[in-house]
Amino acid sequence: MSKSSASTNGATLWAKTPKANAELFSLTYGSLVTEVVRDADGNVNEINEQLEKIGYSIGIRSVDEFLAKSNAAHCRSLQDTAQVLGKTAFKMFLGIDCDVQILSPTTFSLIMQENPLYLFVELPENYKETLQYAILYCGIIRGALEMLNYKVECTLVKNILKGDDVDEIKVELKQILQDGAGDDYKED
Amino acid sequence: MAAVSLAIVGKSNQPLYLREFVPEVGAFPDESVLFGLSQSLPPLPPPSTFRNGIFQCSLKQEFLLHAALDRFEELSGPPPGYGWRNRPGADGMFMGLLGVVDELRIYGYCTTTKIKFFLIVDDEALSKQQQKNADEDIKNLLKSLHQLYVEDLLNPFKSLDDLTVLSKRFEAQLMNYIAAFNQSEGMI
């Protein structure tokens, strides 16, 4: 799957999807985050974990929608998956153009110049360095790829809210899972 | 004509933001003592005027503010005071010149949610036409400041109990607007 066909595919899909108001989207996520912050009582790790879990449950559901709507070809390698994820999927759901950087046969990075989640957001001083606002995306990627039998670890490497110029999500392949029947259905 | 200071006052007349743009020339020498502050004001406009829960500003600015608030209450009382309110948008919110003290003129802008913006400018006498244009420019400046305030309010991390404006982004953009205003007005 060539790079350009992934992005053209993404652009056509973005044109076809129904749109939502960006302000509504950002404000909804913002109030979700403040609610989680209030519940967590200062424990930033717990906040990040909660947001990642929310992303995970979004990811496991939206991967089916993505595969149904896009006619992305079979990915023969992780590189292909990276291109489809960054160019087609992110474009289709969020309208963001992502840059994909392959770091190694098992790692790649998604680089975003701007992030629709960040509209109006300014992190307070006590959370500025530690709260990973866009960790939702990490959860989504982890969930989506797990449904496709890739067990990955996603980390937010660079963060616009912290002062960097771009957002960078690093995705590392840990394990390729086996399909199989669960314990209840195993034949002896 | 240059903008000297800005004040944002909330619904119950509590100060939300106070900032001077020009260090007071010939200010009261005992100013810092009067306020009980041990540090003296730096020669450049201070980066943040909100320290220890109080806004730092000169007494003169405070006097002007109180006078403007009084005049504002006169204007918003029973008719014919309400006459200026009937136009839609920024036209209806702009209260115009509230008062003149020495060479300083104070302009007011009151939003529908009773958030009041006061802008103090220093001014030379202008012809009627020039004054009209200047008023128009001040109205537009106040309209953009209203927009900035709204953007800060939309930050999900902003507490709703304490509406004081503490955002760095607000301050940075405010200084840009004021610099642009001072430059354009300086031509007159």
Side-chain angles (χ1 to χ4, degrees):
Chain A
M1 163 143 262
S2 71
K3 269 194 241 181
S4 57
S5 67
S7 35
T8 38
N9 199 4
T12 31
L13 288 167
W14 171 243
K16 279 195 273 178
T17 45
K19 311 281 187 301
N21 187 328
E23 286 186 16
L24 180 64
F25 176 60
S26 171
L27 290 175
T28 308
Y29 184 62
S31 31
L32 176 68
V33 173
T34 37
E35 214 27 63
V36 172
V37 167
R38 251 192 293 261
D39 288 339
D41 253 349
N43 183 353
V44 189
N45 290 331
E46 196 183 312
I47 300 172
N48 288 335
E49 212 181 288
Q50 276 278 56
L51 294 175
E52 215 260 353
K53 262 197 255 180
I54 293 171
Y56 179 76
S57 52
I58 297 177
I60 57 181
R61 288 164 239 273
S62 45
V63 68
D64 281 314
E65 181 187 349
F66 173 69
L67 290 172
K69 290 215 173 125
S70 77
N71 48 0
H74 255 326
C75 293
R76 281 156 302 161
S77 65
L78 190 69
Q79 275 78 325
D80 289 341
T81 312
Q83 292 295 338
V84 171
L85 181 65
K87 300 282 179 197
T88 319
F90 265 74
K91 182 78 182 166
M92 172 177 152
F93 285 112
L94 296 162
I96 316 177
D97 286 310
C98 259
D99 283 320
V100 181
Q101 234 177 44
I102 311 289
L103 302 169
S104 85
T106 51
T107 332
F108 63 91
S109 259
L110 291 173
I111 300 181
M112 292 178 268
Q113 306 285 353
E114 52 166 19
N115 198 334
L117 283 180
Y118 291 162
L119 195 60
F120 303 132
V121 176
E122 202 174 329
L123 289 178
E125 286 306 310
N126 49 339
Y127 289 120
K128 197 152 183 201
E129 294 296 317
T130 44
L131 181 63
Q132 296 178 345
Y133 201 78
I135 201 170
L136 186 85
Y137 291 155
C138 296
I140 295 179
I141 295 174
R142 182 169 76 89
L145 291 178
E146 191 165 309
M147 284 293 116
L148 302 171
N149 283 339
Y150 286 121
K151 194 169 163 73
V152 297
E153 200 175 278
C154 287
T155 39
L156 200 57
V157 174
K158 284 201 205 159
N159 199 341
I160 294 178
L161 288 179
K162 226 196 289 191
D164 300 314
D165 49 349
V166 290
D167 268 346
E168 188 178 327
I169 300 178
K170 193 166 93 158
V171 183
E172 232 177 281
L173 177 65
K174 291 287 164 194
Q175 205 190 1
I176 299 189
L177 302 164
Q178 293 298 339
D179 269 335
D183 284 333
D184 292 339
Y185 299 105
K186 275 208 161 62
E187 292 180 46
D188 293 316
Chain B
M1 170 158 63
V4 168
S5 60
L6 170 76
I8 306 183
V9 175
K11 223 166 137 168
S12 22
N13 288 349
Q14 80 277 35
L16 298 181
Y17 188 74
L18 291 174
R19 175 75 187 270
E20 282 185 273
F21 307 119
V22 180
E24 273 284 309
V25 176
F28 301 107
D30 299 328
E31 206 171 349
S32 48
V33 174
L34 283 170
F35 269 99
L37 300 164
S38 51
Q39 70 243 64
S40 52
L41 290 174
L44 297 166
S48 161
T49 49
F50 192 74
R51 267 171 230 163
N52 303 328
I54 2 164
F55 281 108
Q56 290 179 328
C57 66
S58 61
L59 271 183
K60 193 166 186 180
Q61 189 193 10
E62 291 231 348
F63 286 149
L64 283 173
L65 250 192
H66 283 117
L69 273 171
D70 289 338
R71 177 80 185 114
F72 165 72
E73 295 204 350
E74 275 175 40
L75 276 180
S76 56
Y82 261 121
W84 50 272
R85 282 273 205 162
N86 294 328
R87 285 154 286 156
D91 285 338
M93 298 194 225
F94 183 55
M95 285 152 49
L97 185 66
L98 291 174
V100 177
V101 175
D102 294 340
E103 74 288 356
L104 298 173
R105 299 156 73 91
I106 184 160
Y107 288 87
Y109 183 99
C110 177
T111 70
T112 333
T113 44
K114 303 278 185 8
I115 309 288
K116 304 172 251 302
F117 293 77
F118 296 113
L119 184 73
I120 305 178
V121 295
D122 80 44
D123 213 352
E124 333 78 46
L126 299 167
S127 76
K128 200 152 185 210
Q129 183 54 37
Q130 285 176 321
Q131 191 53 51
K132 246 185 162 169
N133 294 338
D135 280 358
E136 199 56 36
D137 288 332
I138 291 179
K139 180 174 75 170
N140 290 333
L141 175 65
L142 283 168
K143 183 173 168 182
S144 355
L145 293 183
H146 181 194
Q147 188 59 33
L148 270 189
Y149 175 75
V150 166
E151 280 174 23
D152 175 56
L153 198 59
L154 287 173
N155 182 10
F157 291 102
K158 187 177 173 108
S159 132
L160 290 172
D161 304 314
D162 175 20
L163 283 176
T164 8
V165 179
L166 298 163
S167 148
K168 302 237 170 3
R169 182 180 57 189
F170 176 85
E171 298 229 8
Q173 193 51 32
L174 171 70
M175 291 319 285
N176 288 343
Y177 281 152
I178 295 294
F181 175 77
N182 287 346
Q183 274 187 338
S184 68
E185 294 304 321
M187 290 300 134
I188 296 180

